[in-house]
Amino acid sequence: DAGVTQSPTHLIKTRGQQVTLRCSPKSGHDTVSWYQQALGQGPQFIFQYYEEEERQRGNFPDRFSGHQFPNYSSELNVNALLLGDSALYLCASSLVGNPYEQYFGPGTRLTVT
Amino acid sequence: GQSLEQPSEVTAVEGAIVQINCTYQTSGFYGLSWYQQHDGGAPTFLSYNALDGLEETGRFSSFLSRSDSYGYLLLQELQMKDSASYFCAPRDSGYALNFGKGTSLLVTP
């Protein structure tokens, strides 16, 4: 049973560029959430997708956008990258009825130079 | 608003028992989750308390007091592999996990 997978593992981008991160949820899960984790901090909620729609959004600017596909996989897009966007981006999947139990992927380490 | 407090660091000896406290303030409280994260790894779900009392899962137990807005994670028979960061995450009426900065646990020989 495959867990949550994310790609790529690492990414280096230049300030002002755009980036797309990808996530495949754990088998059987229908909900995908994205988190940003800066060094030494806890994960911060970006948004959650269910039934291909953004169900809840955290305190992140509109430069952060996402998408969920019919097979439940998801993408996180970040436009106009800033140096402060450098972080570990974590995808988590869950069942719609159990939002408190989320399964995290290994993350994508994004470095903005 | 929402607030969350955990000790930033805890050190304990292998084989001992350690308690990591969590106090929270959130509107529309539903329950409290606990997650473990090793350095360089992904957060892993440990437990969830929706009701007052103690939940036990192997060497780990989690406690909740809704009236005190307080919970704790109890780790027994500590092992070196328990060295990690531990996060409490109160659940409100939304769907997000609201992590704080977490507690870094160091288990020493």
Side-chain angles (χ1 to χ4, degrees), chain B residues 56-71:
Chain B
E56 298 181 62
T57 308
R59 294 187 297 113
F60 293 5
S61 302
S62 57
F63 172 83
L64 177 66
S65 170
R66 297 172 69 102
S67 60
D68 295 324
S69 297
Y70 165 74

Side-chain angles (χ1 to χ4, degrees), chain B residues 8-75:
Chain B
S8 57
E9 295 180 353
V10 173
T11 301
V13 178
E14 192 175 16
I17 299 173
V18 72
Q19 179 173 312
I20 299 174
N21 297 319
C22 170
T23 57
Y24 59 86
Q25 182 178 345
T26 185
S27 56
F29 177 79
Y30 275 50
L32 189 68
S33 294
W34 287 92
Y35 283 76
Q36 176 194 62
Q37 186 177 28
H38 288 98
D39 276 350
T44 303
F45 173 78
L46 293 177
S47 67
Y48 177 70
N49 294 69
L51 304 175
D52 285 358
L54 192 67
E55 295 278 346
E56 298 181 62
T57 308
R59 294 187 297 113
F60 293 5
S61 302
S62 57
F63 172 83
L64 177 66
S65 170
R66 297 172 69 102
S67 60
D68 295 324
S69 297
Y70 165 74
Y72 66 73
L73 181 69
L74 191 72
L75 294 81

Side-chain angles (χ1 to χ4, degrees), chain A residues 35 37 41-45 48 55-56 90 99-102 104-105, chain B residues 33 35 37 41-43 45 48 87 91 94-97 99-101:
Chain A
Y35 293 82
Q37 187 172 26
Q41 304 293 315
Q44 297 300 302
F45 176 75
Q48 184 180 93
R55 186 154 81 146
Q56 184 179 353
L90 295 161
Y100 54 84
E101 184 176 350
Q102 298 187 13
F104 285 79
Chain B
S33 294
Y35 283 76
Q37 186 177 28
F45 173 78
Y48 177 70
F87 297 91
R91 183 195 162 201
Y95 310 102
L97 291 172
F99 294 99
K101 294 184 178 181

